[in-house]
Amino acid sequence: MSAGDPGTAALPFIRPLLVRARRAQDVPIGPPPLADPATLPHLDPHQAPWPGGEVTSGGVTLHVRETPGPQDTPAVYVHGLSGSATNWTDLAALLSTRAAGTAVDLPGFGHSRPLASRDYSPAGHADALLCFLAGRGRPVHLLGNSFGGAVALAVAARRPELVRTLTLVSPAMPDLRPHPHRVSDPKLLLALLPLIGKRARAELAAMDPRTRAEQVVRLCFGDPTLVPEHRMAEAAAEYAARARLAWAQEAAERTGKAMVAGWLRGESLWSVAARVQAPTLVVWGERDRLVAPRLARRTAAALRRSRLLVLPGVGHVAQIEAPQTVARAVAGMWDAVGAGTWEEPG
């Protein structure tokens, strides 16, 4: 490399970034305190999805599912890409003795209608959730999984007064590994391409809902055999219902494209994480095939008040696959924050 090479000229600026990255990996991160399981309600494996309906707040209308519970500091749950509020059924039930819950369907997902702007970028989703929370006028315990974790991260960074605590379950941090096993169906990759993508999109739209549900479970769960038949049937019914919504396919495709495009443009969630002030619990499954588990420690290190819980044998949706363990960690954080002990060494 010559002296005039732009790479050489950039080294003085790159080295400090590399040093900071290495230091972040060395930050000691304690495990979270776990609440006594006796303080949590019994998990009903046949719990039906919580009642849902449209709610308008802060000028934004979303479909939400609400869990009854104490109103002091409510919990708000945010699903991942192509997910919905039903992704939080079991965890919301386990935490219901500590906080009332509101699981949102992001614009264009679940039963939520798209925004008039049709803005499916991460920033657009974050704007919608931020306005919705601001309209309610009080801080919340904010929980997000996958893409919902990235949205929750942005909200916590931009409006710290709205977020009492933050829980991130396998948040969609930038991860550009080109591996087909990271999608439930290879046709999803083809669908992103011009011209030839049209056929792939048509085939995906025509797919049997049960087959689609089974594909997603195989991708997202560390152990797909753990999913009971009634939950698989619920998922298939939900996919069938979404297929009848005119905006569903557009919302999923445009949100996914916008998320990856943001990574390619260098819109770094790492710098967003560094601005978060709320006590944060990071949860990751060791068998996560969608967002690499190697990012777990880096994510926790980027958050100044974080603890990290890594779950062996668990995949991308720990709140569904291991709800009792996740509930103990979340409840443990809430209890510790309330007692002023979250900052103490683990």
Side-chain angles (χ1 to χ4, degrees):
M1 186 178 290
S2 67
D5 189 288
T8 301
L11 282 176
F13 302 98
I14 293 173
R15 283 195 185 104
L17 297 176
L18 294 176
V19 169
R20 284 199 292 271
R22 286 196 295 269
R23 285 177 180 166
Q25 296 300 314
D26 295 333
V27 172
I29 303 168
L34 299 179
D36 183 343
T39 66
L40 300 177
H42 174 72
L43 177 63
D44 177 4
H46 292 275
Q47 171 69 53
W50 296 100
E54 286 191 338
V55 172
T56 299
S57 175
V60 174
T61 300
L62 298 177
H63 180 273
V64 305
R65 294 185 182 274
E66 297 189 294
T67 311
Q71 296 288 331
D72 299 344
T73 303
V76 173
Y77 304 93
V78 190
H79 63 81
L81 186 64
S82 295
S84 74
T86 58
N87 293 166
W88 302 96
T89 298
D90 290 338
L91 187 66
L94 289 166
L95 295 173
S96 62
T97 55
R98 281 177 164 80
T102 300
V104 303
D105 287 336
L106 290 171
F109 291 89
H111 294 286
S112 284
R113 292 170 290 172
L115 300 177
S117 65
R118 286 298 208 273
D119 183 356
Y120 291 113
S121 68
H125 283 292
D127 286 344
L129 180 61
L130 190 154
C131 291
F132 186 85
L133 295 180
R136 295 196 140 189
R138 54 178 170 167
V140 301
H141 296 299
L142 186 58
L143 300 88
N145 170 228
S146 193
F147 178 74
V151 171
L153 196 65
V155 170
R158 289 169 55 187
R159 293 290 298 273
E161 76 279 8
L162 295 178
V163 181
R164 173 68 167 148
T165 70
L166 180 64
T167 297
L168 305 174
V169 182
S170 290
M173 305 305 287
D175 187 357
L176 291 169
R177 294 169 297 145
H179 200 296
H181 291 166
R182 294 180 65 202
V183 294
S184 56
D185 190 314
K187 286 191 286 292
L188 288 168
L189 297 176
L190 295 175
L192 300 177
L193 301 175
L195 300 179
I196 64 172
K198 183 176 181 180
R199 178 177 176 180
R201 289 191 292 271
E203 291 176 353
L204 287 168
M207 183 177 293
D208 173 75
R210 174 69 184 221
T211 301
R212 182 75 184 122
E214 290 173 349
Q215 284 184 337
V216 171
V217 164
R218 284 195 298 271
L219 175 67
C220 292
F221 276 66
D223 183 358
T225 65
L226 293 176
V227 182
E229 172 56 32
H230 68 282
R231 292 298 193 206
M232 191 70 79
E234 286 177 3
E238 189 165 1
Y239 280 117
R242 269 190 64 75
R244 294 191 290 270
L245 299 177
W247 61 75
Q249 186 174 348
E250 175 196 38
E253 288 179 3
R254 290 181 59 181
T255 299
K257 287 180 180 178
M259 180 180 70
V260 175
W263 293 350
L264 292 170
R265 288 194 300 265
E267 297 172 358
S268 180
L269 279 173
W270 303 111
S271 59
V272 173
R275 299 198 303 271
V276 171
Q277 300 177 25
T280 304
L281 169 67
V282 178
V283 180
W284 224 287
E286 274 192 348
R287 290 188 181 178
D288 192 333
R289 287 184 285 274
L290 278 161
V291 186
R294 62 181 170 77
L295 297 177
R297 184 170 181 81
R298 181 182 176 189
T299 300
L303 294 148
R304 66 183 72 180
R305 304 175 67 191
S306 72
R307 301 284 189 95
L308 173 63
L309 177 66
V310 177
L311 300 175
V314 174
H316 188 62
V317 286
Q319 82 278 13
I320 303 176
E321 192 170 1
Q324 289 150 313
T325 303
V326 175
R328 290 184 64 196
V330 174
M333 173 174 65
W334 293 353
D335 293 347
V337 170
T341 59
W342 180 252
E343 315 296 337
E344 296 178 3

